[in-house]
């Protein structure tokens, strides 16, 4: 008689951990640093601790949920990509329904955290943020540069941060930060796409690396330059000082190193450039925090 051996609870939890990429926190950092830029700019220093805690936890939850819905969208593609074929959903250790359930539960938890602040404007601004998080994974079927949708999703916390701290949004400042972050996101996610370019071409997934072609290095360098220029402008508007400028200088050094890594467009170094990218956001944040002390 055939009997199905149940999967141990520990193995199930490990699969959920990998589904939400909690074992790879790079995405948390890339989403968190720009959100913290906005909180510090909005507050003119250390933001209120309840707001800071909600945004940090909310960032972790939304990134985890985004990974779950991403794997749901890519469930028929990931098994054909060397780097992703061992993911729990691609390997059929987690069902598509479970992945969607994880996304819904984590999104609701993040929304509940935001509700605890009682800020109506921030709550309303969170709705397009959730739509962007859910829609990005499917943009790869339609748009030649889905990284732009990812950039908007990863910038959604910026106006929410202003709303949560000030009760209103300084749209001039917020828009400059959004565009700076958008340029940065497209650049570093192009590194990520360069690592998968050959597989994506075979299976028909669209990406900025495919769209940019042989101009990929030049365009990512230009995008990073635009991002730094906008951050400098924001610094001038808010009368930031030497420490902030030093943070941007360190970030520029990080960007130059990443350009060196992708010089031969090899998958391994391109992926390392992506992993290294969060140091750009961290350098800007540290410079901003030190400057405001």
């Amino acid at each position: 008689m055939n009997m199905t051996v149940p999967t141990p609870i520990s193995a199930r939890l490990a699969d959920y951990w990998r589904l939400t990429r909690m074992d790879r926190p790079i995405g948390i950092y890339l989403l968190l640093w720009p959100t913290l830029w906005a909180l510090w700019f909005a507050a003119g220093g250390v933001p209120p601790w309840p707001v800071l805690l909600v945004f940090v936890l909310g960032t972790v939850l939304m990134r985890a949920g985004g990974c779950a819905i991403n794997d749901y969208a890519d469930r028929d593609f990931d098994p054909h990509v060397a780097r992703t074929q061992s993911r729990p959903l691609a390997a059929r250790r987690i069902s598509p329904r479970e992945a969607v359930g994880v996304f819904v539960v984590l999104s609701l938890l993040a929304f509940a955290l935001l509700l605890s602040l009682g800020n109506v404007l921030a709550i309303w601004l969170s709705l397009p943020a959730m739509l962007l998080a859910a829609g990005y994974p499917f943009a790869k079927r339609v748009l030649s540069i889905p990284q732009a949708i990812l950039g908007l999703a990863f910038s959604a916390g910026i106006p929410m941060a202003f709303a949560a701290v000030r009760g209103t949004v300084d749209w001039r400042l917020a828009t400059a930060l959004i565009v700076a972050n958008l340029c940065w996101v497209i650049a570093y996610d192009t590194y990520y796409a360069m690592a998968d370019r050959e597989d994506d071409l075979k299976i028909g997934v669209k990406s900025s690396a495919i769209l940019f072609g042989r101009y990929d290095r030049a365009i990512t360098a230009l995008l990073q330059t635009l991002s730094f220029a906008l951050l400098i402008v924001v610094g001038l508007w808010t009368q930031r000082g030497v420490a902030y400028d030093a943070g941007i200088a360190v970030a520029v050094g990080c960007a130059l190193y990443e350009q060196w890594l992708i010089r031969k467009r090899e998958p391994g170094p391109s992926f390392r450039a992506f992993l290294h990218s969060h140091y750009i956001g961290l350098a800007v944040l540290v410079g901003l925090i030190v400057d405001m002390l």
Side-chain angles (χ1 to χ4, degrees):
M1 182 173 61
N2 293 327
M3 296 183 63
T4 302
V5 179
T7 304
I9 294 177
S10 59
R12 295 289 293 163
L13 292 176
D15 281 334
Y16 283 121
W17 191 257
R18 286 190 289 270
L19 173 72
T20 55
R21 295 305 188 277
M22 296 303 290
D23 58 326
R24 297 187 177 186
I26 178 65
I28 295 174
Y29 305 148
L30 291 169
L31 181 56
L32 183 60
W33 303 149
T35 305
L36 295 183
W37 299 347
L39 284 174
W40 254 260
F41 273 118
V46 179
W49 286 106
V51 174
L52 181 60
L53 181 62
V54 163
F55 273 79
V56 170
L57 292 177
T59 294
V60 174
L61 290 171
M62 285 308 299
R63 186 265 180 167
C67 290
I69 199 65
N70 180 81
D71 284 8
Y72 170 79
D74 288 348
R75 64 192 183 280
D76 294 326
F77 294 97
D78 282 348
H80 305 287
V81 178
R83 191 177 50 77
T84 60
Q85 59 189 198
S86 63
R87 287 176 177 175
L89 193 53
R92 304 295 188 261
R93 296 195 303 274
I94 283 181
S95 72
R97 181 179 294 181
E98 287 176 290
V100 173
V102 168
F103 170 72
V104 171
V105 169
L106 293 179
S107 297
L108 289 175
L109 287 174
F111 189 64
L113 278 173
L114 192 61
L115 287 176
S116 72
L117 295 178
N119 187 294
V120 176
L121 180 56
I123 291 167
W124 277 111
L125 288 171
S126 72
L127 299 181
M130 290 187 181
L131 289 175
L132 286 166
Y136 160 69
F138 301 94
K140 289 175 279 189
R141 316 295 187 270
V142 181
L143 300 178
S144 295
I145 183 168
Q147 283 74 16
I149 305 300
L150 179 68
L152 291 174
F154 271 39
S155 301
I158 292 173
M160 289 169 58
F162 277 90
V165 172
R166 298 185 179 182
T168 186
V169 179
D170 180 340
W171 282 108
R172 182 183 73 153
L173 195 56
T175 300
L177 289 172
I178 288 170
V179 177
N181 190 50
L182 176 63
C183 291
W184 179 43
V185 172
I186 294 174
Y188 69 63
D189 207 57
T190 298
Y191 299 158
Y192 186 97
M194 289 168 69
D196 292 341
R197 180 155 39 197
E198 296 306 316
D199 286 325
D200 287 346
L201 283 168
K202 291 176 184 176
I203 61 180
V205 171
K206 300 178 185 295
S207 76
S208 56
I210 294 171
L211 177 66
F212 297 160
R214 63 191 180 95
Y215 299 106
D216 48 8
R217 292 179 59 203
I219 293 176
T220 54
L222 176 61
L223 287 167
Q224 288 174 322
T225 301
L226 289 173
S227 180
F228 296 137
L230 283 166
L231 289 172
I232 290 170
V233 168
V234 169
L236 293 172
W237 286 345
T238 56
Q239 299 181 324
R240 300 275 54 86
V242 174
Y244 179 76
D245 294 338
I248 293 179
V250 172
V252 170
C254 292
L256 291 173
Y257 171 65
E258 290 157 16
Q259 287 294 320
W260 181 82
L261 282 174
I262 66 168
R263 68 195 185 282
K264 295 182 180 179
R265 299 181 174 86
E266 297 170 324
S270 295
F271 191 67
R272 288 200 298 275
F274 163 74
L275 294 175
H276 184 270
S277 292
H278 89 92
Y279 289 112
I280 289 177
L282 178 60
V284 174
L285 177 64
V286 171
L288 176 62
I289 291 174
V290 172
D291 189 71
M292 288 186 171
L293 288 176

